[in-house]
Amino acid sequence: MKGKMARRLLGASMLATVMLGAQAQAQEEQKQIRLGDAGYFEARGANVLVFSNWYDGLFADAKISGVELIQQGDRIATNGDVRLSATPGQWDPIGRLVDRKVDAATGTIEALLEYPEYNFRYRVRAERAGEAVKLAIVLDQPLTAALAGKAGFNLEFVPSAYFHRSFLADGKGGAFPVYPSSDMTAGGERNAASGRDIGPGAEPLPMATARTLVLAPEDPAHRVRIEAATGDLSLYDGRNQAQNGWFVVRSLIPAGKTGRVLEWTLTPSSVPGWLRAPVIGHSQVGYTPAQAKTAVIELDANDSVKGDVRLLRVTDKGDTVEAAAGAPKPWGKYLRYNYATFDFSQVREPGVYQLEYAGQRTATFRIGADVYDAAWHPSLDVYLPVQMDHMLVNEAYRVWHGDSHRDDARQAPVNHEHIDLYRQGPTTDTKFQPGEHIPGLNVGGWLDAGDFDIRTQTQYAVIRTLVGIWEDYKPTRDQTLVDHELRHVEMHVPDGKPDLLQQIEHGTLYLASMYDAVGYAVHGVVEPNVAQYTHLGDAASKTDGLVYDPSLKYGERRDGKSGTPDDRWVFTSKSSALNYGSAAALAASSRALRGYNDALADKALKLATQVWSEEHSHAPNTFSHGNTTGGWLPGEEFTAAVELLATTKDKQYAARIDALWPQIAERFPFYAPTALQALPFMPAAYRTKVEAAVRALKANGTSFTGPNPYGVPITTGGWAGNGAVIQTGLTDYAIHKAFPKLSDGQAVFRALDYLHGTHPGSNLSFVSGVGTRSKEIAYGNNRADFSFIAGGVVPGVLILKPDYPENREDWPFFWGENEYVVNMSPSYIELVQAGIALTKK
């Protein structure tokens, strides 16, 4: 008996040992790096991408390329590539991608790149190596003398991921600074993007140098081990040179060598069994009782639906009562995650609620008929006033900015390609010489985005949107004092005038000033150099506010003039598209301003009709560059014709709308709201043609839903797609108003839900200050303070190839994800108004 029992115990012990061994083996296998079908290296909870993405061609280095590292769901490193300085800035030289090859059989990825101006080619080769990836720089020719001591392999780590964490350099400890304070050395030429106009060049010294660096050894989510086969690894803090700089690990490429001249072993932190916590996508603002209510559950690729979702109503005693529950419905895979949905549309009782699933409980949100009534207030009360240029903007104890850009503007030089997609052609097209002051442009307008230019194309879009809101909804809200004579704005101070009309007036003053100054629409006004373009903080401190006088010495001031050439430049190459776009906004503004500022209304309409007549007296001016010279010419002319027809009822504009329709029909999704706007003023035949276009558009279901679980189109370009989401909702509502049998307008609510938190990656509202939890770190002019501007709308979720949705919550400097642009907030206001109108129905 005893022997039999002993044998049983021995067998159980052996089985347990075998099981433990198998478990350990399985865990070790999960930590092994493999080259996956998506074309990047992966282990459980860790991905290493090698040139899956390429640098943003619009605005240079967007921190989305080279070797990149995603750990436990967060992208913590990027720009693994050969660079020519230790902490390169946004506009510093970048290698050009020539070719990329993925070899699944050998588990390697190799990218061929070049710096043509240096006649320098190199390969970045990545190979799986157990739990690590070996990175090598391969040269067929040795470095040229011009690159010796400059070219090195860099890998950049996002600073916010390493705040309050440590590092080990060959075993010696150090701490990542929350604020930059490492040593610099002076000398050489000052970097053009330094943000300053005095002093010598300055370069950072390394915080640490070692053969082996371990970042965040105490934290599996951020721990990374890097070993250099030869030479040293140096750790730098790029924020000493620019607030958007990153922590950089760098090794110099040795001179005089070919082949594998540099090699790192990069070991990410893989966690066997790791699962990303579910994200419960929902509206942080809430829902009206009658609207559809769908939560979207985002699950790790290795996770599946487990258990029920619970909707909890919060009582006045602080406890919760279950209002609904049920198993989420599997939706399938989108990008890298699995998705499921939970429909709780049947719950209509007003109150405060939370959603709960798999140990995650959301922030509170409301169900109520009035949930949207105040959602648009921060955009009108805060964001738009803050963006008003040529005004001092004050909020109680805080000055957002002084009376900015009083010295606008100097004629841009000819044959010049500038920053931020501005360009001047071979002539000025004005009576002014390059560099000469053009008077009269220092009035009205809004700062374009997180930067400080006035982009005309954005200005006229804002005006048309605001006019549409006024005409459709007449919101008379008055919370802002605007005094154009004093050039002064006081937020949260009613002045007896509708704020919306004051904003329309402010934009119209700028558009009119262009015609007063040069006789036609200019591209915009923008900083004269990169150093000024990078300015953060008070817009009024960016220039001295005094018109530049070249006869004065630098820094000298006399008789209201200055010897400092800091005045913004105005780009003036004639563009018919810009002229038509401006005319459309001027015609629209004349309707809204009638009875409020009749003199300006008369002037705006006179300018609009003059522009139309002048443009039809000659062949179009087709100068085009970037996104600063107007949109598609037939579309801009069509828009001008619609607004002029709506204002004047003159049949010549109706005739031109008819003539342009065949071209517009081919791009109908982009011009649907404008085409629908013309219906009351056009003959029945036009309505028939537009209805056919609407039916064709609605027949293509994905135009309004997208191939994703969120029911909206999610774009995949270098700038995230909240603008497209808003426009989809507005287009559907315009169709609903014109042809109610063809649309119920419900895309409005899907768009609002998406903006308010039902989107990939997180459940934050993308409208700062709107909803229980929202974007509180964003790319506004106060981004250096890791802050936000209430009512601003960020671009949203950026889809990094091949499958990673990102909207970084702790690092504001990703412009493609986090930068406010001034036309987004008026469009959001219009979308909310549409939601309110549908709710009342």
Side-chain angles (χ1 to χ4, degrees), residues 475-487:
T476 57
R477 183 171 178 78
D478 170 26
Q479 294 295 313
T480 307
L481 184 156
V482 178
D483 190 321
H484 278 106
E485 288 189 10
L486 295 178
R487 302 171 70 100

Side-chain angles (χ1 to χ4, degrees), residues 229-247:
T230 58
D232 289 326
L233 301 165
S234 294
L235 177 62
Y236 295 89
D237 188 346
R239 297 171 302 154
N240 286 288
Q241 290 187 307
Q243 276 81 2
N244 63 356
W246 289 34
F247 295 127

Side-chain angles (χ1 to χ4, degrees), residues 177-241:
V178 173
Y179 200 84
S181 57
S182 56
D183 293 343
M184 303 285 288
T185 181
E189 186 177 349
R190 184 175 64 251
N191 190 307
S194 64
R196 54 192 174 88
D197 53 10
I198 64 170
E203 292 294 327
L205 296 173
M207 296 191 295
T209 301
R211 292 289 292 273
T212 300
L213 279 173
V214 182
L215 313 185
E218 72 278 18
D219 178 9
H222 298 92
R223 182 170 59 243
V224 179
R225 182 183 184 90
I226 305 173
E227 301 166 80
T230 58
D232 289 326
L233 301 165
S234 294
L235 177 62
Y236 295 89
D237 188 346
R239 297 171 302 154
N240 286 288
Q241 290 187 307

Side-chain angles (χ1 to χ4, degrees), residues 391-726:
M391 306 286 276
L392 183 151
V393 180
N394 187 67
E395 182 183 26
Y397 298 169
R398 176 183 193 172
V399 175
W400 278 92
H401 60 76
D403 182 358
S404 46
H405 305 119
R406 292 293 295 264
D407 43 9
D408 277 346
R410 296 174 66 202
Q411 172 68 61
V414 297
N415 290 317
H416 175 74
E417 184 165 345
H418 201 54
I419 53 176
D420 211 12
L421 304 178
Y422 286 90
R423 184 175 182 273
Q424 184 67 38
T427 62
T428 67
D429 291 346
T430 70
K431 65 181 181 180
F432 299 95
Q433 296 300 309
E436 186 178 355
H437 177 70
I438 300 179
L441 290 169
N442 59 352
V443 59
W446 300 277
L447 303 169
D448 184 64
D451 46 15
F452 297 99
D453 62 316
I454 294 185
R455 177 176 170 267
T456 299
Q457 196 169 339
T458 311
Q459 307 294 305
Y460 61 64
V462 170
I463 292 170
R464 287 193 64 233
T465 301
L466 294 176
V467 170
I469 295 166
W470 179 254
E471 292 185 329
D472 289 344
Y473 308 107
K474 287 292 189 299
T476 57
R477 183 171 178 78
D478 170 26
Q479 294 295 313
T480 307
L481 184 156
V482 178
D483 190 321
H484 278 106
E485 288 189 10
L486 295 178
R487 302 171 70 100
H488 194 112
V489 174
E490 284 289 346
M491 296 161 62
H492 315 304
V493 178
D495 63 355
K497 302 174 183 177
D499 294 340
L500 203 74
L501 289 181
Q502 290 178 312
Q503 291 294 336
I504 293 170
E505 178 183 42
H506 190 70
T508 304
L509 286 170
Y510 169 73
L511 291 190
S513 78
M514 303 184 303
Y515 292 92
D516 291 341
V518 300
Y520 57 89
V522 301
H523 310 178
V525 288
V526 66
E527 292 74 23
N529 52 55
V530 173
Q532 197 183 110
Y533 181 74
T534 58
H535 175 88
L536 296 173
D538 185 348
S541 66
K542 187 166 64 65
T543 75
D544 57 19
L546 303 174
V547 172
Y548 172 63
D549 184 345
S551 70
L552 301 177
K553 293 187 300 184
Y554 183 90
E556 183 182 1
R557 301 182 182 190
R558 188 168 66 236
D559 301 328
K561 301 291 183 67
S562 167
T564 303
D566 58 5
D567 313 23
R568 290 191 298 188
W569 290 356
V570 56
F571 286 76
T572 59
S573 294
K574 285 186 176 180
S575 163
S576 292
L578 272 180
N579 241 5
Y580 281 127
S582 299
L586 287 165
S589 70
S590 72
R591 301 194 302 270
L593 294 173
R594 184 69 59 200
Y596 173 77
N597 184 336
D598 287 331
L600 186 57
D602 290 342
K603 182 176 182 177
L605 181 55
K606 181 179 179 181
L607 287 171
T609 56
Q610 286 177 344
V611 168
W612 182 269
S613 297
E614 195 276 334
E615 284 295 341
H616 283 84
S617 70
H618 58 76
N621 295 301
T622 57
F623 183 88
S624 178
H625 184 75
N627 64 359
T628 58
T629 51
W632 179 51
L633 180 56
E636 296 282 28
E637 184 183 358
F638 180 81
T639 302
V642 170
E643 293 290 8
L644 281 162
L645 177 63
T647 305
T648 69
K649 313 303 185 293
D650 190 323
K651 292 182 179 179
Q652 68 167 314
Y653 305 118
R656 191 60 185 151
I657 290 170
D658 255 335
L660 288 167
W661 173 252
Q663 295 178 77
I664 299 301
E666 294 179 359
R667 303 191 185 191
F668 183 71
F670 301 102
Y671 294 95
T674 302
L676 292 163
Q677 181 186 347
L679 287 176
F681 316 108
M682 294 292 290
Y686 175 80
R687 182 180 184 87
T688 300
K689 290 185 286 189
V690 172
E691 181 176 351
V694 168
R695 289 183 180 278
L697 179 61
K698 293 297 289 184
N700 179 9
T702 57
S703 296
F704 291 89
T705 60
N708 62 72
Y710 296 98
V712 299
I714 299 176
T715 60
T716 58
W719 193 277
N722 280 350
V725 171
I726 292 173

Side-chain angles (χ1 to χ4, degrees), residues 20-30:
L20 286 172
Q23 184 178 18
Q25 182 178 354
Q27 290 182 345
E28 284 303 309
E29 288 177 355
Q30 288 186 22

